[in-house]
Amino acid sequence: VEKDLSDIDLFLFHQANLRINQKVGDILKIPSEKVFNTVQKYGNTTSATIPLGMRDAIEAGKLKPGMLVSLTAFGSGFTWGTVILRF
């Protein structure tokens, strides 16, 4: 089944820098309410950013069963990876 960005209920990006996440959201025209950020709370937690973000999003009521979620991590250089899952 083909999907586009508007089908995604929540985006959890690697939390290295809030400005980067905001810029990615702006470029992709993702509404800010669909992006969950934790960098302002924890700073850059490297490989733990997505699991921490998922936990905090669940606790905040932003991530609920059945939602379509995009998890995206950025690495040094030009490395990145994304998974889209039904939570």
Side-chain angles (χ1 to χ4, degrees), residues 53-81:
M54 289 181 77
R55 186 209 52 209
D56 283 11
I58 291 166
E59 290 177 355
K62 299 286 188 177
L63 178 55
K64 300 174 186 167
M67 293 179 84
L68 193 59
V69 183
S70 173
L71 310 174
T72 301
F74 311 100
S76 57
F78 293 108
T79 60
W80 63 274

Side-chain angles (χ1 to χ4, degrees), residues 9-65:
D9 297 307
L10 188 68
F11 293 83
L12 290 163
F13 298 124
H14 173 68
Q15 302 287 308
N17 182 301
L18 186 58
R19 290 183 311 259
I20 292 170
N21 291 354
Q22 290 169 332
K23 186 66 174 179
V24 169
D26 290 346
I27 290 169
L28 295 176
K29 297 180 174 58
I30 299 169
S32 61
E33 63 272 7
K34 285 190 166 190
V35 179
F36 192 81
N37 290 300
T38 60
V39 69
Q40 67 277 23
K41 181 177 181 180
Y42 299 112
N44 182 353
T45 55
T46 63
S47 64
T49 58
I50 290 176
L52 282 170
M54 289 181 77
R55 186 209 52 209
D56 283 11
I58 291 166
E59 290 177 355
K62 299 286 188 177
L63 178 55
K64 300 174 186 167

